[in-house]
Amino acid sequence: MLNDKEKLYRAHITRSLAEMYQHMEDMLSIIPDEMDGTDLTDEQIEVIERVEAIEEEWILDPETRREISLIDWCDEEEG
């Protein structure tokens, strides 16, 4: 029975992750591809904060989170 519970748990986690990823993508659709952090609306800032909070919960390592975040912060030096 534990094996069945484990399979069910894994299936729910997989589905939940896919749904959460889609939810974040949907929220981020209001953010322009080429954004300047100074010209964002309050709604766009709130979306960014929500996505960052979700990523912080799911991706514990800060360096990994920066590397794979759905939010692409570009330093001016990087271009």
Side-chain angles (χ1 to χ4, degrees):
M1 182 151 159
L2 183 59
N3 205 12
D4 289 342
K5 278 182 132 178
E6 184 178 331
K7 286 179 185 177
L8 184 60
Y9 180 85
R10 287 177 185 260
H12 282 289
I13 291 295
T14 301
R15 180 187 46 77
S16 293
L17 282 170
E19 290 173 359
M20 183 58 69
Y21 180 85
Q22 187 59 55
H23 177 63
M24 292 189 305
E25 285 280 316
D26 292 346
M27 285 193 298
L28 288 171
S29 68
I30 69 166
I31 310 293
D33 289 337
E34 300 297 323
M35 68 174 175
D36 177 358
T38 61
D39 61 358
L40 296 172
T41 67
D42 289 342
E43 182 183 17
Q44 290 170 325
I45 291 169
E46 184 177 331
V47 163
I48 290 170
E49 289 171 347
R50 286 181 183 181
V51 170
E52 286 178 332
I54 293 166
E55 288 180 338
E56 196 169 317
E57 285 184 28
W58 285 88
I59 306 164
L60 300 179
D61 180 59
E63 184 61 35
T64 301
R65 196 169 48 248
R66 274 190 294 277
E67 290 173 8
I68 65 172
S69 176
L70 293 177
I71 302 167
D72 187 19
W73 293 109
C74 227
D75 292 337
E76 288 184 21
E77 297 172 2
E78 293 178 11

